[in-house]
Amino acid sequence: MCGIVGYIGHQNAYPIILNGLRRLEYRGYDSAGIALYDGENIQMCKTKGKVDDLSAKVNAEMATAGNLGIGHTRWATHGVPNDVNSHPHVSNSGDLVIIHNGIIENYTTLKKELVKRGYTFHSDTDTEVLVNLIEEIKKQENVKLGKAVQIALNQVVGAYAIALFDRNKPDEIVVAKLGSPLAIGIGEGEFFVASDATPFIEFTNNAIYLEDGEMAIIRLGREIAVRRIANDERVDPSIHELQLNLEQIEKGGYDHFMLKEIYEQPSVIKDTYRGRLLPNEGIVRLGGLEDHLEKFANANRIIIIACGTSWHAGLVSEYIFEEWARVPVEVEYASEFRYRNPIITEKDVVIAISQSGETADTLEAVKLAKRKGAFVYGVCNVVGSSISRETHSGTYTHAGPEIGVASTKAFTTQITVLTLMALRIAKVKGTMSHSDYMMHLRELELIPTKVAQALKTNDHIKAVAREFKDVSNFLYLGRGYNFPVALEGALKLKEISYIHAEGYPAAEMKHGPIALIDENMPVVVIAVNSNHYEKVVSNIQEIKSRNGRIIAVVTEGDTTVTEIADYVMEVPKTPEALTPLVTTIPLQLLSYHIAVMLNRNVDQPRNLAKSVTVE
Ligand code: AGP
């Protein structure tokens, strides 16, 4: 998730774009850049680091270059954060310059063809391929920039919000959108383009939000021409008069980043499997895994090291890897692993899971595992982070920046990557029937829709939260794949509401915790379709007979648990191994609403940091 900003009008473009980038830094902040038209050429400055690092490098001449420009603050997905991979990117001729938020899945194929035609590339990005594809089409077809963009985008597979201009036509900016947000601000004799309205809300509150598959040619002194990319059909855009303030826009209109990130899960799960899950071809393809499949297929053991929510994601994957790939898995707290002098051999494969990629305990555990000869694979969200650089290879989640301290979309995108890995390894080992493999490929592709469906129960969950906001303790119970989800649900509640909560395997109740049950101890039970369902029903009855109050997460349409639980939260039916991706949703929302009702600082709870870079 990156931030894009563009300006064309009667003002000096630089300060507007720079300030706009600062407002979009919450979307991505590992590198930044700006390109300005100076009346003849394109002046460009870009750098690894934050927008402040960029502004420190822009000279006075560039800062007053002119009235047309584009800027970008990056959250890397292809190519590590460095100056060269930063946006904007210029075409080989130097005429075209582009910024891009999204992922072009087929960029390697497009790049090979362009190289054959003599194009050279300086970065590792998919974006540089796109701007040269547009240049090649513009030259070959002898068409204007807008037409070349339209033809090029019909050859592209992926997601994008782009803005670009041609130094030979400095009275227009061309923009296009598919899968990533893009807003156009309409001022008096000036236009703004941005990922959201924060960069231009102080200049105008009139905005057009392009729909997926639309592009626009923005010309000074002319009406904006909006068209459908697929067929060039003209679109009559609606102009919105924005009533939001800055802070509300940064949070996408949500009250907290945590709620925004909970609601981003359908799109970021799709971004995470985009280009990697190909059900029609019946394949899973993970760039970082393909060259190391034999290590995983022949591994004696997979050791997963992580902390907190990432450890819970690892625990979910233990059940999946063992069930599908038939490989023994051990899930270790990194903080324990690194001090335990663990026995590791070169036949062991280690997976390090970390959203930030900077957790000190996990980083040190990775180094220890490497010293002991293990192959270490990373599942991180931040490209170029310390852990991602320390591991031998890895797969990035494409969750975008997670601002809320409580991990939500990190959890579901980590599970998505781990599920893809288990499918890929099972396929190589032949440990999964073809029908089972194909069924799970197709069902995984449906998860974003099912998560979106689970999110629709938000109002009901808020009502349940109101019943329990004043309790002092909670128990969370789950079995099998949902035992780790019970742990994660308990962690979410305690870290943002400060209510004590414990997660347990449901069957463990008889071995002590049931002594805690009375009318003051609410119990959240994950009771969805599973091989354990009847046993979970018995657990619920044991609790009810001791006056415990039950909040059950059930599969929609459930008629058994619904009869005995005090409250139910429904999730769509999905194969048992994929249920953690949906059962966690009501638990995230329950914790969020209880914390809000208790007036907690939801995005920055007391005593916590987003990334624990100290030991
Ligand atoms: C979870 O909500 C917490 N933010 C915390 O447990 C977190 O998951 C843990 O610190 C690990 O962080 P990482 O994924 O960035 O390594």
Side-chain angles (χ1 to χ4, degrees):
M1 180 157 56
C2 308
I4 66 171
V5 189
Y7 176 78
I8 186 167
H10 48 77
Q11 299 186 63
N12 181 23
Y14 172 68
I16 294 172
I17 293 171
L18 188 76
N19 192 38
L21 290 177
R22 287 204 169 98
R23 299 225 170 113
L24 293 177
E25 270 198 308
Y26 74 89
R27 299 180 58 83
Y29 36 73
D30 56 44
S31 52
I34 192 166
L36 297 158
Y37 177 68
D38 66 6
E40 184 182 351
N41 294 307
I42 295 169
Q43 294 203 29
M44 192 158 73
C45 178
K46 54 186 193 173
T47 179
K48 179 179 178 181
K50 296 196 176 304
V51 174
D52 284 345
D53 301 313
L54 172 66
S55 65
K57 287 189 174 180
V58 172
N59 61 36
E61 184 206 350
M62 184 170 176
T64 55
N67 68 328
L68 167 62
I70 54 177
H72 186 273
T73 180
R74 188 170 181 239
W75 180 265
T77 53
H78 288 83
V80 295
N82 59 25
D83 295 2
V84 169
N85 286 335
S86 310
H87 300 209
H89 289 282
V90 178
S91 62
N92 275 200
S93 71
D95 291 343
L96 307 185
V97 63
I98 194 171
I99 50 175
H100 168 219
N101 171 24
I103 299 171
I104 307 295
E105 297 166 28
N106 60 334
Y107 79 101
T108 45
T109 309
L110 297 169
K111 185 171 182 173
K112 283 182 188 135
E113 185 53 35
L114 289 166
V115 168
K116 278 185 205 158
R117 298 182 182 205
Y119 284 82
T120 56
F121 293 89
H122 312 287
S123 78
D124 308 323
T125 66
D126 50 349
T127 307
E128 192 183 10
V129 173
L130 180 56
V131 72
N132 281 299
L133 174 65
I134 293 167
E135 173 147 288
E136 173 64 4
I137 290 169
K138 189 168 180 292
K139 278 194 306 195
Q140 292 305 319
E141 308 291 331
N142 189 25
V143 292
K144 290 182 181 174
L145 181 60
K147 190 64 184 168
V149 169
Q150 187 200 357
I151 296 169
L153 293 179
N154 279 301
Q155 296 178 21
V156 152
V157 177
Y160 49 78
I162 58 171
L164 69 157
F165 68 83
D166 178 352
R167 67 178 173 161
N168 301 311
K169 188 116 179 46
D171 66 342
E172 78 175 25
I173 288 184
V174 177
V175 298
K177 178 213 188 300
L178 179 65
S180 300
L182 195 142
I184 301 171
I186 302 166
E188 291 297 321
E190 58 186 4
F191 296 99
F192 308 78
V193 294
S195 301
D196 65 35
T198 48
F200 58 74
I201 193 75
E202 66 198 89
F203 299 105
T204 176
N205 58 3
N206 295 319
I208 290 173
Y209 286 88
L210 287 189
E211 300 293 337
D212 275 349
E214 290 182 350
M215 63 179 288
I217 296 164
I218 301 167
R219 255 190 227 111
L220 275 183
R222 307 274 293 271
E223 283 290 303
I224 296 178
V226 179
R227 299 191 179 293
R228 292 204 195 295
I229 297 164
N231 57 15
D232 203 24
E233 181 189 315
R234 191 173 178 77
V235 173
D236 197 8
S238 43
I239 297 178
H240 301 267
E241 194 176 339
L242 303 177
Q243 307 300 333
L244 295 170
N245 63 37
L246 260 183
E247 194 193 344
Q248 286 170 319
I249 295 169
E250 272 182 0
K251 291 171 185 161
Y254 293 99
D255 291 341
H256 299 95
F257 278 111
M258 181 181 176
L259 190 59
K260 174 174 175 272
E261 287 151 12
I262 288 172
Y263 274 83
E264 281 177 344
Q265 289 178 109
S267 63
V268 296
I269 289 171
K270 187 178 285 187
D271 286 346
T272 296
Y273 71 49
R274 190 190 301 278
R276 296 164 166 172
L277 173 65
L278 306 164
N280 296 337
E281 289 94 283
I283 58 173
V284 166
R285 187 174 51 222
L286 292 166
L289 181 62
E290 297 308 310
D291 296 342
H292 306 289
L293 279 169
E294 287 315 304
K295 291 188 188 70
F296 280 91
N298 301 325
N300 282 346
R301 184 178 49 156
I302 292 178
I303 301 168
I304 295 175
I305 52 179
C307 300
T309 289
S310 298
W311 187 87
H312 296 149
L315 201 55
V316 170
S317 74
E318 173 180 4
Y319 290 80
I320 296 175
F321 278 120
E322 293 202 344
E323 178 70 26
W324 292 353
R326 306 308 297 155
V327 56
V329 176
E330 284 173 27
V331 187
E332 300 270 1
Y333 282 113
S335 54
E336 286 295 307
F337 180 83
R338 62 175 289 203
Y339 293 114
R340 214 190 58 227
N341 191 16
I343 298 166
I344 296 181
T345 72
E346 63 280 356
K347 289 286 279 179
D348 292 326
V349 170
V350 172
I351 300 177
I353 307 171
S354 175
Q355 186 285 128
S356 62
E358 300 299 342
T359 298
D361 283 324
T362 308
L363 179 59
E364 290 308 315
V366 166
K367 291 176 182 175
L368 172 65
K370 285 173 69 178
R371 284 196 298 273
K372 288 179 174 275
F375 172 78
V376 187
Y377 196 85
V379 177
C380 296
N381 191 40
V382 181
V383 175
S385 55
S386 304
I387 291 170
S388 66
R389 283 182 286 111
E390 189 63 38
T391 55
H392 293 110
S393 184
T395 296
Y396 286 115
T397 53
H398 289 157
E402 187 175 66
I403 310 296
V405 165
S407 274
T408 50
K409 61 180 183 173
F411 181 64
T412 47
T413 52
Q414 286 165 350
I415 293 173
T416 301
V417 167
L418 293 159
T419 303
L420 290 168
M421 289 177 68
L423 283 165
R424 185 76 182 91
I425 295 161
K427 179 82 172 165
V428 169
K429 294 184 69 178
T431 47
M432 201 173 182
S433 71
H434 182 68
S435 58
D436 207 16
Y437 170 81
M438 286 306 295
M439 181 273 283
H440 281 98
L441 246 66
R442 292 201 177 89
E443 285 289 343
L444 185 55
E445 191 182 34
L446 297 176
I447 287 297
T449 306
K450 295 187 175 179
V451 167
Q453 215 174 314
L455 288 167
K456 286 180 182 158
T457 64
N458 179 57
D459 290 344
H460 168 66
I461 293 167
K462 189 172 180 179
V464 175
R466 196 166 288 113
E467 299 296 318
F468 292 94
K469 64 182 175 58
D470 299 318
V471 302
S472 307
N473 294 283
F474 258 91
L475 269 179
Y476 283 70
L477 304 180
R479 281 180 181 251
Y481 295 98
N482 283 292
F483 159 49
V485 179
L487 298 179
E488 172 60 13
L491 174 62
K492 283 289 106 25
L493 183 70
K494 59 187 150 191
E495 71 175 326
I496 63 173
S497 73
Y498 317 149
I499 294 173
H500 174 250
E502 276 189 272
Y504 263 97
E508 197 57 19
M509 284 297 289
K510 299 183 291 297
H511 303 283
I514 202 160
L516 293 171
I517 300 299
D518 59 24
E519 61 283 358
N520 302 315
M521 173 61 85
V523 184
V524 175
V525 185
I526 304 169
V528 291
N529 54 291
S530 78
N531 296 330
H532 313 288
Y533 181 76
E534 287 68 30
K535 292 190 170 27
V536 174
V537 172
S538 308
N539 295 144
I540 291 173
Q541 284 160 339
E542 286 156 17
I543 294 163
K544 287 294 292 175
S545 63
R546 291 162 177 82
N547 301 320
R549 287 189 293 166
I550 297 283
I551 306 168
V553 180
V554 299
T555 305
E556 60 190 10
D558 177 287
T559 53
T560 304
V561 171
T562 306
E563 287 302 307
I564 50 180
D566 298 275
Y567 301 87
V568 291
M569 301 185 290
E570 290 195 336
V571 294
K573 185 171 175 56
T574 195
E576 185 175 354
L578 303 182
T579 52
L581 288 164
V582 292
T583 54
T584 197
I585 302 302
L587 304 189
Q588 292 170 347
L589 290 171
L590 180 67
S591 305
Y592 170 79
H593 288 304
I594 288 176
V596 168
M597 290 170 190
L598 296 175
N599 297 314
R600 304 301 192 215
N601 183 339
V602 172
D603 283 333
Q604 291 162 349
R606 68 184 183 193
N607 312 337
L608 292 177
K610 181 57 191 168
S611 176
V612 184
T613 55
V614 295
E615 295 164 18

